[in-house]
Amino acid sequence: MRDERMKGIASKHRDDSVEENLKHFEAMKAGTEEGLRWCLRAKMSVDDPNKALRDPVIYRCNTLPHHRTGDKWKVYPTYDFACPIVDSIEGVTHALRTNEYRDRNPQYQWMITALGLRKVNIWDFSRLNFIYTLLSKRKLHNFVNEGHVRGWDDPRFPTVRGIRRRGMTVEALTQFMLAQGPSQSVVSMEWDSIWSQNKKIIDPIAPRHWSILTKNSVPVIIKGGPASPEIKAVPKHKKNAEIGEKKTVYSSSILVEQEDAQSFEDQEEVTLMDWGNAIVRSKTVDASGVVTGIEMELNLEGDFRKTKKKITWLSQHTSANPLARVTLLDYDYLIT
């Protein structure tokens, strides 16, 4: 059948009688062995230059149980046949379609005219693509079925559920969509553009918390620090007091990340975030070059504006002030 359509050859059953066609359709509805051999095609044209108008299939058999209706139906309409009917009946005034369907737009209007349904305007626009990303539902379905992802809400998936689970806000998604406009140019975008939009939304309201990598974290002894741990309330967001406060433990034994520790120079003055300045007095390094310990001296009178390094730190874990372990997942592209 496909070969005949491409070559503009009429099917030998094109001029079958109405009665003969209805008999075949009843067999299709029943899902009989004979019915499975047939499909129903719209009698449009045999050799139209637009191949989408060459007697397209509008009904096919499918004996697999439906997730809602079970095995009640054995025959189903094609997408091209169902869409114009549903759009018209349900009151759609403008059908927004990507321009990959442009060749099918005349077919869409033919269905509505042939059935005497209310007209629907078609507004087509270009498809928006993202690098290293598949947007085809059929191809994404394979990832789910083959177990490459956890499901349709996997944070690496370009589905609404997926990006919402990854942290996308509805407001940012809406703003991004409106900013694109109905362009006719095919666009391939970086994901950074949409996540930048999301950051603008959440940055003013996201509470700030600290964490450091557990692996090779470096213990630091603070000279001039409190004799016993002190707990102070500091803002969760320095520019938005409405976010509230968090409790921070200050002690003479803290932890910093290995990468920060490696960068410290002898006698260098650095800033401990939300505490003040401190001077690096000594640093212990093992044979492999890993920093295993540091001594600092508090210099709270120092000017944080003059230091090059602003260091994230945490008070060392104790039974009275335990540290919470957090697992951070950094997702890359599914396809590279």
Side-chain angles (χ1 to χ4, degrees):
M1 183 176 71
R2 176 178 296 179
D3 186 58
E4 288 181 346
R5 288 189 66 198
M6 292 299 103
K7 295 178 179 179
I9 300 172
S11 168
K12 63 181 180 180
H13 296 286
R14 191 170 195 269
D15 295 320
D16 284 358
S17 66
V18 174
E19 292 75 20
E20 189 73 12
N21 286 330
L22 288 174
K23 183 183 75 172
H24 294 315
F25 192 61
E26 288 300 319
M28 290 173 62
K29 288 167 61 179
T32 65
E33 185 175 345
E34 175 65 18
L36 295 177
R37 296 179 55 245
W38 297 87
C39 65
L40 185 64
R41 299 170 66 180
K43 197 172 184 179
M44 291 186 188
S45 171
V46 172
D47 56 0
D48 194 288
N50 182 350
K51 292 182 174 63
L53 299 180
R54 294 185 182 181
D55 294 354
V57 175
I58 60 175
Y59 268 99
R60 282 196 178 96
C61 284
N62 188 340
T63 57
L64 293 176
H66 190 272
H67 66 286
R68 290 183 179 174
T69 58
D71 59 0
K72 180 179 180 181
W73 302 103
K74 306 293 192 300
V75 63
Y76 292 91
T78 61
Y79 180 87
D80 287 335
F81 182 54
C83 274
I85 297 173
V86 172
D87 288 349
S88 181
I89 292 176
E90 294 190 349
V92 172
T93 59
H94 291 74
L96 307 182
R97 293 153 62 100
T98 52
N99 51 26
E100 65 196 87
Y101 290 102
R102 186 167 289 171
D103 287 347
R104 282 176 152 76
N105 289 349
Q107 183 192 103
Y108 182 104
Q109 299 297 358
W110 186 95
M111 300 291 186
I112 288 178
T113 301
L115 294 169
L117 298 175
R118 178 186 58 84
K119 294 290 184 181
V120 177
N121 296 305
I122 294 177
W123 189 359
D124 55 11
F125 52 92
S126 68
R127 185 185 181 95
L128 179 63
N129 298 311
F130 287 95
I131 64 168
Y132 304 124
T133 304
L134 293 174
L135 297 176
S136 165
K137 291 188 291 293
R138 176 176 55 83
K139 293 177 181 177
L140 292 176
H141 203 275
N142 290 335
F143 276 87
V144 176
N145 288 344
E146 294 175 10
H148 296 303
V149 294
R150 298 178 185 178
W152 290 96
D153 63 346
D154 190 287
R156 294 166 294 178
F157 248 26
T159 58
V160 172
R161 290 170 60 190
I163 61 175
R164 287 281 290 131
R165 189 176 170 201
R166 191 164 179 165
M168 179 61 60
T169 62
V170 173
E171 183 180 357
L173 185 57
T174 302
Q175 289 185 10
F176 177 79
M177 292 167 59
L178 293 175
Q180 304 315 304
S183 172
Q184 293 294 329
S185 301
V186 177
V187 178
S188 185
M189 301 190 71
E190 298 269 359
W191 276 101
D192 290 349
S193 56
I194 189 170
W195 288 114
S196 295
Q197 184 68 45
N198 193 59
K199 184 178 180 180
K200 293 178 182 178
I201 302 298
I202 65 175
D203 190 68
I205 59 173
R208 269 57 170 173
H209 295 280
W210 297 341
S211 66
I212 63 171
L213 290 173
T214 303
K215 183 178 180 181
N216 289 334
S217 59
V218 182
V220 179
I221 302 301
I222 303 293
K223 293 182 179 180
S228 59
E230 299 176 356
I231 299 177
K232 299 179 182 179
V234 297
K236 290 182 179 179
H237 195 304
K238 292 182 179 180
K239 297 181 180 179
N240 188 351
E242 295 180 1
I243 303 300
E245 294 181 331
K246 61 182 178 182
K247 293 181 179 179
T248 300
V249 180
Y250 295 81
S251 74
S252 295
S253 299
I254 66 173
L255 295 171
V256 298
E257 290 194 349
Q258 181 70 212
E259 184 177 354
D260 288 331
Q262 291 278 358
S263 72
F264 294 158
E265 297 177 7
D266 191 35
Q267 307 305 315
E268 180 181 11
E269 187 168 2
V270 298
T271 298
L272 300 175
M273 298 291 290
D274 280 350
W275 194 348
N277 287 6
I279 301 171
V280 179
R281 293 306 187 190
S282 66
K283 183 166 68 171
T284 305
V285 182
D286 66 14
S288 62
V290 175
V291 179
T292 58
I294 291 176
E295 284 191 4
M296 291 186 179
E297 183 176 351
L298 274 183
N299 180 28
L300 300 181
E301 292 76 26
D303 189 350
F304 70 90
R305 290 169 295 187
K306 295 181 179 180
T307 59
K308 295 180 180 179
K309 298 167 186 173
K310 319 299 180 187
I311 306 303
T312 298
W313 58 275
L314 289 174
S315 181
Q316 288 204 43
H317 176 93
T318 64
S319 57
N321 300 298
L323 294 177
R325 287 188 173 273
V326 178
T327 300
L328 300 181
L329 301 179
D330 185 12
Y331 290 108
D332 202 350
Y333 298 111
L334 275 173
I335 302 172
T336 56

